[in-house]
Amino acid sequence: MGKTEFLLKKKFLLRKMRQIIFGSEKLVTTKPITTSDFQSLTTKEDLDRYNQEQAILSERIEKDILDDELRRKMHQDLIDTYDEELENEIDDYARDFRFNGREMSEQEKLDRRTYFHELVRLQRELIKLQDWVVANGERIVVIFEGRDSAGKGGAIKRITQRLNPRVCRVAALPAPTEREQTQWYFQRYVAHLPAAGEIVLFDRSWYNRGGVEHVMGFCTDAQYEEFFQSVPEFERMLVRSGIRLVKYWFSITDDEQHARFMSRIYDPLKQWKLSPMDLQSRRRWEDYTKAKETMFERTHIPEAPWWVVEGNNKKRARLNCIAHLLEQIPYKEIPRDEIELPSRKRDDEYYREPIPDDMYVPPRY
């Protein structure tokens, strides 16, 4: 991909994202973006509401921001924010010369535009969910389980990307210590449950016992059976206490997992993702399948059902998961007061001491 083409694509993406979030231009055409493979979920009501919000925001900017230099700096800050998403997507969309430099097809390009449009729209809704959780003292737990390399981490990253980490946090526990192995099995997970006004995303959870621990022989048959006797009631207790519990299983095909593992083997930036347990999961594919089927059979309860996310297409999986999560919770938009930045208080006698040159990080870039 040439530099000019890359800059044009980046410019287009930034313009679309500005349209969606800040309304610096008209949002999109009046009908949703559609392809044979990817359907936008944006409705006419969404467009009308966003256009109204954009008009209000544009009017405020025109009224309040009279300094051209300040507007330029705000614009640059906006670009830096959107660059985060471009960086996240390098794995999926950068031209990769290791694989003969295959470029995106026209279909892939159009799908990508739809993906970004929908992702930012859903992230706007996640911010509303966050505000509702804080305002109402809600407690939400979302469990992410599934095949290795099925896309759990990517979905979690997009959910948390624009949220307050003090409200929405990720619990990704390492292997239990010797002391933890002597505790009640659920004890180390209980410590990470949310307080009022918090959302916790479990990147793997107590279902380790029903999966990797059983398949790899890290627990006894008695412990495995006790887990299935205990977990339905444990989850019912959580729900009765007021916690909203949502459980996702990310599923991919054998061939897709093989391709992703091979990609990780040959990519220095991804090799850290391949643990010895991941390699064993390839060899024991059928054992993990049987463990998953048993887990669904014995823990799919009305109070906390399992939801399966098809993960062969990473981007579709992320959008489907986020959209579904939002549907599970009856959140409402919380009105916000207009924010006025107070004038800086200045002291004419204040003197700012110079910082020694050797304290600065060298400006290599």
Side-chain angles (χ1 to χ4, degrees), residues 255-279:
D255 289 344
E256 183 64 23
Q257 188 187 60
H258 178 261
R260 293 183 188 180
F261 274 22
M262 291 300 292
S263 177
R264 292 179 179 185
I265 288 173
Y266 288 96
D267 188 343
L269 298 179
K270 292 183 178 180
Q271 285 177 357
W272 65 270
K273 294 184 176 183
L274 278 177
S275 70
M277 292 299 101
D278 294 332
L279 299 177

Side-chain angles (χ1 to χ4, degrees), residues 144-297:
F144 291 84
E145 293 285 349
R147 296 282 188 180
D148 292 315
S149 78
K152 300 179 297 296
I156 291 171
K157 186 184 296 183
R158 271 64 181 191
I159 291 172
T160 61
Q161 185 178 2
R162 305 190 192 281
L163 300 184
N164 184 342
R166 295 177 180 84
V167 175
C168 182
R169 54 188 169 84
V170 179
L173 277 60
T177 64
E178 289 187 12
R179 180 175 182 274
E180 287 173 334
Q181 291 176 25
T182 67
Q183 296 175 343
W184 176 48
Y185 176 70
F186 297 96
Q187 188 167 335
R188 72 191 194 114
Y189 296 102
V190 168
H192 294 272
L193 293 175
E198 292 181 351
I199 304 169
V200 177
L201 312 180
F202 278 92
D203 186 353
R204 300 291 191 189
S205 66
W206 45 84
Y207 281 98
N208 279 340
R209 175 138 296 177
V212 62
E213 291 190 17
H214 171 63
V215 173
M216 298 302 298
F218 296 151
C219 66
T220 66
D221 290 343
Q223 289 172 326
Y224 180 63
E225 181 59 31
E226 175 59 29
F227 169 76
F228 283 125
Q229 293 291 331
S230 300
V231 71
E233 187 53 38
F234 173 68
E235 292 180 354
R236 290 187 184 104
M237 284 195 303
L238 297 182
V239 173
R240 287 198 301 268
S241 75
I243 290 177
R244 297 179 185 273
L245 178 60
V246 185
K247 303 187 301 194
Y248 289 112
W249 176 272
F250 279 69
S251 177
I252 55 172
T253 61
D254 189 353
D255 289 344
E256 183 64 23
Q257 188 187 60
H258 178 261
R260 293 183 188 180
F261 274 22
M262 291 300 292
S263 177
R264 292 179 179 185
I265 288 173
Y266 288 96
D267 188 343
L269 298 179
K270 292 183 178 180
Q271 285 177 357
W272 65 270
K273 294 184 176 183
L274 278 177
S275 70
M277 292 299 101
D278 294 332
L279 299 177
Q280 285 295 319
S281 72
R282 275 303 297 159
R283 189 167 70 87
R284 299 172 183 251
W285 173 273
E286 292 183 1
D287 293 336
Y288 275 95
T289 298
K290 294 174 183 176
K292 175 201 71 175
E293 292 169 350
T294 300
M295 187 179 71
F296 282 178
E297 180 182 351

Side-chain angles (χ1 to χ4, degrees), residues 42-171:
T42 302
T43 65
K44 184 179 185 302
E45 289 73 19
D46 290 329
L47 296 176
D48 291 342
R49 185 174 70 253
Y50 293 163
N51 283 330
Q52 184 179 12
E53 293 173 355
Q54 290 162 10
I56 294 172
L57 183 57
S58 297
E59 184 178 342
R60 286 189 59 193
I61 291 175
E62 291 294 330
K63 176 183 176 182
D64 298 343
I65 312 300
L66 304 178
D67 187 331
D68 288 340
E69 178 63 15
L70 178 56
R71 286 192 183 189
R72 186 192 66 78
K73 290 181 178 179
M74 291 171 64
H75 177 76
Q76 185 60 50
D77 182 64
L78 191 64
I79 291 176
D80 290 342
T81 298
Y82 299 145
D83 278 347
E84 293 176 16
E85 187 58 39
L86 287 174
E87 291 163 7
N88 284 339
E89 294 308 309
I90 283 177
D91 285 347
D92 298 325
Y93 283 118
R95 183 175 180 181
D96 195 334
F97 290 98
R98 293 167 305 171
F99 301 111
N100 299 323
R102 186 184 72 83
E103 302 231 28
M104 286 186 291
S105 66
E106 290 304 314
Q107 180 70 49
E108 288 172 325
K109 293 175 184 177
L110 188 57
D111 286 351
R112 187 187 189 201
R113 296 170 194 168
T114 306
Y115 166 72
F116 279 115
H117 181 280
E118 291 297 303
L119 177 63
V120 176
R121 182 182 69 82
L122 291 171
Q123 287 176 333
R124 283 172 58 102
E125 294 302 312
L126 285 170
I127 292 172
K128 296 176 186 178
L129 169 63
Q130 171 185 260
D131 292 345
W132 178 82
V133 167
V134 173
N136 292 278
E138 291 284 337
R139 294 174 292 159
I140 297 175
V141 169
V142 187
I143 288 176
F144 291 84
E145 293 285 349
R147 296 282 188 180
D148 292 315
S149 78
K152 300 179 297 296
I156 291 171
K157 186 184 296 183
R158 271 64 181 191
I159 291 172
T160 61
Q161 185 178 2
R162 305 190 192 281
L163 300 184
N164 184 342
R166 295 177 180 84
V167 175
C168 182
R169 54 188 169 84
V170 179

